[in-house]
Amino acid sequence: MKKELIFIGPPGSGKGTQTKMLSNEYKFPHIDTGSLLREEVKTGSKEGQLANSFMEKGQLVPIEVVSSIIKKRLMQPDCQTGFILDGYPRSTEQALALDNILNDIDKDINVKPQVFYFDISQEKLIDRLVNRRSCEKCGAIYNLKTMNLKDSLKCEKCGGNLIKRDDDTEEVALKRFETYFTQTAPLIDLYEKRGWLTKLDADLNIDTIYKNLKEAVK
Ligand code: AMP
C-alpha cells in the first residue's frame, strides 16, 4: 500500500532530521520544499529569484511556484510507492492544492495520507535555529551546542562544509515563526478533523522521537 507521509512543525522542531532518517530506512523519497526552493534559487532562474525575495524575509513563497514544483516531483516514478513530504503544505490554501494534486495522481488507488505534527515547546526553538548548521553536500543537520564535532566546520558523515543558512538569523527566524503560527498552524486542526493527524512530542531526544514516529507509521 502506498505511503503518503506529511510532516508539519515549526522551523527548528527537528522534522528535517527525522524525515531524513525515515527516508533512509524506508527508501521513500524525502521531499523538502525548502531544499527544492534553495536549489531553484541557485540556478538563478526567474522562479528562483522570485522565491528568494520571499525566503529572505521568512515569508511563504507564492503558491503557484511551490505547488507546481511539488506536483512535478510527486509525479516522478520514485514516488509511486510512497513519499515523505516535509514542509508542504504550509497553509490551508496549499493543503487544498495538495488534495487536488493527490486526487490527480492517485485516481486509481485508495490512499489515506498520514500527517505527523511535531509538537515542541517554544523556548527551545529560536536557540535551535540560531545554532543549526547543515552540510552543503549531503544536507545532514547539526546543532553546534549539542553535537560534539571534532572539527566544527566539516560534516562527520561526508566531510562536506557545514554552513549556516542565510535565513537562520534571529530576525528572520522570528519572522518564520510568525508565518508558521499564522499560516501553517491552522493545518493541525484541519487534519485532526479528517482523522489524519498524529501528534509527536518533539521535545524528546532524537532516538525516542524516531522510535515513536516509526511506531506511528501505518
Ligand atoms: P525550510 O527550509 O523548510 O525552513 O523553508 C525555508 C523557506 O522556504 C521558508 O521560510 C519559505 O520562505 C520557503 N518555503 C518552504 N516551503 C514552503 C512552502 N510549502 N510554501 C511556501 N514557501 C515555502
Side-chain angles (χ1 to χ4, degrees), residues 46-121:
K46 259 194 170 170
E47 276 195 332
Q49 286 173 21
L50 176 71
N52 197 36
S53 66
F54 289 86
M55 292 167 81
E56 60 191 13
K57 287 187 262 170
Q59 295 169 352
L60 292 187
V61 171
I63 188 165
E64 306 75 43
V65 179
V66 189
S67 296
S68 94
I69 291 180
I70 285 292
K71 185 166 188 184
K72 262 190 243 156
R73 185 65 191 88
L74 296 183
M75 289 170 75
Q76 301 292 311
D78 64 338
C79 291
Q80 297 309 305
T81 52
F83 52 78
I84 292 168
L85 212 42
D86 173 7
Y88 183 93
R90 283 196 194 197
S91 65
T92 306
E93 193 188 18
Q94 289 185 10
L96 301 178
L98 179 62
D99 287 343
N100 288 332
I101 293 172
L102 295 181
N103 280 340
D104 265 6
I105 59 180
D106 294 331
K107 46 182 175 304
D108 302 323
I109 52 173
N110 186 16
V111 195
K112 182 174 161 190
Q114 268 191 284
V115 180
F116 297 94
Y117 163 50
F118 277 55
D119 192 7
I120 184 166
S121 57

Side-chain angles (χ1 to χ4, degrees), residues 11 19 40 71 153 185:
T19 46
E40 193 65 45
K71 185 166 188 184
L153 297 176

